[in-house]
């Protein structure tokens, strides 16, 4: 059975999100992704819809880059997932990259972006 994974990313990192979704399209992928990219200005209706999508997922996978600290939408998604008790894991957007994490990611495990790291985490959901 496929697991539903919500992807959280800064809009500046859309290309990385596209690469991740491409990985999920492999026929041996054990998961599917839910894309809730902010296409309209933020409003409470978007937040309500996004919260519903997050609650319907087995986990939230956060793509972490230097853009994350300023990505209000992404940071809200992480906060929402924590409030809803949805498991969260972060992946570094770039190999061997690490940075000081924003407070919203406190307590969130962030690992290198590898197929095995992602699939091992998803298998535990």
């Amino acid at each position: 059975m496929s697991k539903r994974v919500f992807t959280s990313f800064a809009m500046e990192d859309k290309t990385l999100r596209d690469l991740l979704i491409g990985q999920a399209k492999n026929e041996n992928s054990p998961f599917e992704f839910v894309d809730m990219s902010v296409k309209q200005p933020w409003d409470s209706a978007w937040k309500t819809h996004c919260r519903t999508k997050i609650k319907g997922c087995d986990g939230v996978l956060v793509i972490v880059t230097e853009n994350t600290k300023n990505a209000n939408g992404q940071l809200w998604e992480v906060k929402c997932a924590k409030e809803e008790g949805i498991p969260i894991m972060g992946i570094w957007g770039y190999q061997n990259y690490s940075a000081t994490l924003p407070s919203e990611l406190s307590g969130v495990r962030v690992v290198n972006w590898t197929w095995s790291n992602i699939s091992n985490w998803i298998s535990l959901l």
Side-chain angles (χ1 to χ4, degrees):
M1 180 172 104
S2 285
K3 303 283 179 115
R4 290 177 55 86
V5 177
F6 185 97
T7 55
S8 179
F9 61 97
M11 285 306 294
E12 296 83 358
D13 298 323
K14 183 178 183 294
T15 301
L16 294 174
R17 187 277 322 254
D18 293 346
L19 291 171
L20 186 62
I21 289 175
Q23 282 184 316
K25 290 181 180 178
N26 290 333
E27 66 180 53
N28 64 343
S29 173
F31 51 95
E32 60 184 88
F33 287 98
V34 176
D35 178 21
M36 282 296 301
S37 306
V38 179
K39 296 174 182 72
Q40 300 295 323
W42 270 64
D43 62 19
S44 60
W46 180 87
K47 286 183 178 181
T48 300
H49 186 63
C50 185
R51 182 175 296 273
T52 299
K53 291 285 187 182
I54 289 171
K55 285 169 57 173
C57 289
D58 299 293
V60 172
L61 188 61
V62 181
I63 299 173
V64 181
T65 72
E66 68 278 358
N67 297 312
T68 299
K69 66 182 177 292
N70 297 317
N72 293 331
Q74 182 181 29
L75 297 175
W76 183 88
E77 291 164 354
V78 171
K79 181 177 177 258
C80 175
K82 284 183 171 184
E83 291 170 356
E84 297 299 337
I86 306 299
I88 306 168
M89 185 177 78
I91 55 172
W92 295 116
Y94 300 98
Q95 196 67 16
N96 300 318
Y97 174 80
S98 65
T100 302
L101 297 173
S103 61
E104 290 84 354
L105 287 168
S106 174
V108 173
R109 181 174 167 236
V110 182
V111 299
N112 283 329
W113 180 340
T114 66
W115 182 257
S116 62
N117 281 342
I118 295 169
S119 61
N120 288 341
W121 175 70
I122 290 173
S123 71
L124 299 173
L125 296 177

